[in-house]
């Protein structure tokens, strides 16, 4: 399959029906569904599947750009799976889920169990060649490797950690507070679009997701930049879904409150940990500490002014080339 034909297929998302899915929080999603995009073809041995879990706010088609720049479209079947709460898979906006205020918190172990069923039942694969994730996708890759070590051959964790740090929690709580402080918040949702809450949310998000060097390069006031370049992405989401994904991020901990050293020491997968030198969410120091806990893990550092977004460089060739080099090396091992 050529890169052009793969790109043409990218927007085609499918839905995997899971039935009623019990969550680790005690709630049950009735008639749950998982949205996914599949690009490429399985080989006869079904040994060439790469799973890409989605990041915060992303839907599967948003990440299809990676086939070509990051993954060789002639070699790999790339399955991009949307996590619960993202608006494409089962989410509060579908009416089947509530928020933490009603006792609903999706954990990544719930996402992993659903993804395991997707790969086994739709693609006949139990052990993917690679699980590759950026940001919240990296969190899910770590969760796979800890939760089902015998089922994971390789992981590539880009700009994400195995446990949400205290400083990262502050960022997430500020985003949640920005939305729920809006006058239209009613305790379980919104009576009208939370325009003021979204603007505050957008300003906070942009200030963390890009770096100080990046903002020195823009040629417009930062308020205008956020209004034009950031807010449209958030406005496409139901704000309840934005909150649900924040709660999953807040709850993320592969050790479930226990011994992180022991949890990561149990990983059997060949592991690449990829930090970005200007990432304000997941610092090089934090990611290096995770890598040091994983047997044989290799740490790589992207040099980029894009900040956290260096790990999702859909329009920046230098970072794409570096990620391709890392992935090719990992897959060749």
């Amino acid at each position: 399959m050529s890169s052009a034909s793969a790109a043409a297929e990218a927007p085609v998302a499918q839905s995997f029906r899971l039935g009623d899915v019990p969550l680790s929080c005690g709630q049950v999603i009735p008639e749950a569904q998982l949205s996914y995009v599949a690009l490429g073809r399985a080989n006869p041995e079904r040994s060439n599947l790469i799973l890409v879990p989605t990041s915060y706010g992303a839907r599967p088609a948003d990440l299809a750009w990676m086939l070509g720049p990051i993954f060789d479209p002639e070699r790999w079947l790339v399955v991009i799976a949307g996590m619960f709460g993202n608006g494409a898979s089962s989410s509060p906006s579908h009416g089947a889920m509530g928020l933490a205020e009603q006792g609903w918190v999706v954990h990544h172990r719930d996402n992993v169990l659903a993804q395991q069923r997707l790969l086994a039942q739709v693609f006949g694969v139990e052990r993917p060649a690679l699980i590759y994730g950026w940001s919240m996708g990296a969190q899910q890759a770590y969760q796979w490797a800890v939760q089902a070590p015998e089922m994971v051959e390789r992981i590539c964790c880009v700009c994400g950690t195995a446990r949400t740090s205290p400083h990262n929690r502050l960022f997430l709580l500020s985003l949640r507070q920005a939305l729920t402080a809006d006058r239209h918040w009613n305790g379980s949702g919104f009576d009208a679009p939370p325009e003021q809450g979204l603007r505050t949310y957008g300003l906070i998000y942009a200030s963390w997701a890009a770096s100080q060097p990046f903002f020195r390069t823009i040629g417009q006031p930062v308020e205008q930049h956020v209004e034009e370049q950031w807010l449209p992405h958030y406005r496409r989401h139901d704000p309840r879904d934005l909150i649900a994904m924040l709660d999953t991020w807040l709850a993320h901990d592969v050790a479930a409150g226990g011994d992180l050293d022991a949890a990561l020491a149990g990983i059997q997968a060949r592991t690449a940990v990829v930090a970005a030198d200007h990432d304000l969410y997941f610092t090089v120091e934090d990611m290096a500490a995770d890598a040091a806990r994983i047997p044989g893990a290799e740490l790589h550092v992207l040099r980029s002014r894009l900040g956290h977004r260096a790990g999702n460089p859909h329009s920046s060739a230098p970072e794409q080339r570096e990620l391709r080099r890392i992935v090719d090396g990992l897959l060749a091992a």
Side-chain angles (χ1 to χ4, degrees), residues 5 20 59 70 92 112 122 133 138 152 156 164 203 228 315 332:
S5 62
D20 295 350
R59 292 167 183 164
I70 309 298
V112 167
V122 176
V152 183
C156 185
T164 298
L203 289 168
E228 295 177 358
S315 56

Side-chain angles (χ1 to χ4, degrees), residues 53-309:
T54 54
S55 51
Y56 183 86
R59 292 167 183 164
D62 297 336
L63 302 182
W65 68 267
M66 291 189 291
L67 193 70
I70 309 298
F71 307 118
D72 182 349
E74 302 296 333
R75 291 189 61 196
W76 304 106
L77 166 62
V78 177
V79 177
I80 307 170
M83 64 181 169
F84 291 130
N86 75 341
S89 298
S90 291
S91 304
S93 59
H94 296 190
M97 293 170 55
L99 299 176
E101 284 80 359
Q102 293 81 48
W104 287 80
V105 177
V106 174
H107 293 261
H108 281 317
R109 52 187 173 270
D110 303 315
N111 285 313
V112 167
L113 289 172
Q115 292 161 15
Q116 288 173 351
R117 289 181 57 190
L118 169 70
L119 297 192
Q121 295 176 33
V122 176
F123 300 98
V125 173
E126 294 188 352
R127 184 177 168 88
L130 170 68
I131 301 171
Y132 176 101
W134 169 65
S135 195
M136 286 188 80
Q139 295 174 355
Q140 291 167 79
Y142 279 121
Q143 185 69 45
W144 261 88
V146 169
Q147 187 168 320
E150 72 288 348
M151 298 174 66
V152 183
E153 191 167 349
R154 303 174 186 85
I155 59 172
C156 185
C157 302
V158 183
C159 299
T161 54
R163 171 185 280 167
T164 298
S165 71
H167 191 242
N168 199 197
R169 284 184 61 82
L170 286 175
F171 159 70
L172 299 168
L173 292 170
S174 70
L175 291 175
R176 205 181 196 285
Q177 182 68 18
L179 291 173
T180 59
D182 188 274
R183 64 190 179 93
H184 296 300
W185 170 251
N186 61 25
S188 61
F190 297 89
D191 297 320
E195 285 298 327
Q196 186 56 53
L198 276 171
R199 281 193 166 85
T200 305
Y201 169 102
L203 289 168
I204 297 168
Y205 210 111
S207 70
W208 280 68
S211 70
Q212 294 92 339
F214 170 81
F215 280 107
R216 287 197 288 270
T217 69
I218 65 172
Q220 60 186 161
V222 291
E223 299 91 339
Q224 181 183 352
H225 176 75
V226 171
E227 184 76 28
E228 295 177 358
Q229 303 297 324
W230 295 77
L231 275 175
H233 176 74
Y234 307 130
R235 286 191 175 120
R236 72 174 182 158
H237 289 281
D238 187 303
R240 293 172 297 171
D241 295 346
L242 295 175
I243 292 172
M245 288 183 285
L246 289 176
D247 289 338
T248 298
W249 189 340
L250 281 163
H252 169 60
D253 179 0
V254 297
D259 187 338
L260 185 62
D261 288 351
L264 295 182
I267 290 178
Q268 300 174 19
R270 186 176 295 273
T271 301
V273 175
V274 186
D277 62 347
H278 284 96
D279 191 341
L280 303 178
Y281 300 160
F282 306 107
T283 65
V284 174
E285 181 181 11
D286 285 344
M287 295 196 65
D290 280 348
R293 297 179 172 109
I294 301 171
E298 294 187 358
L299 175 70
H300 306 265
V301 179
L302 297 174
R303 307 294 177 184
S304 172
R305 69 184 182 192
L306 295 179
H308 181 60
R309 296 186 304 162

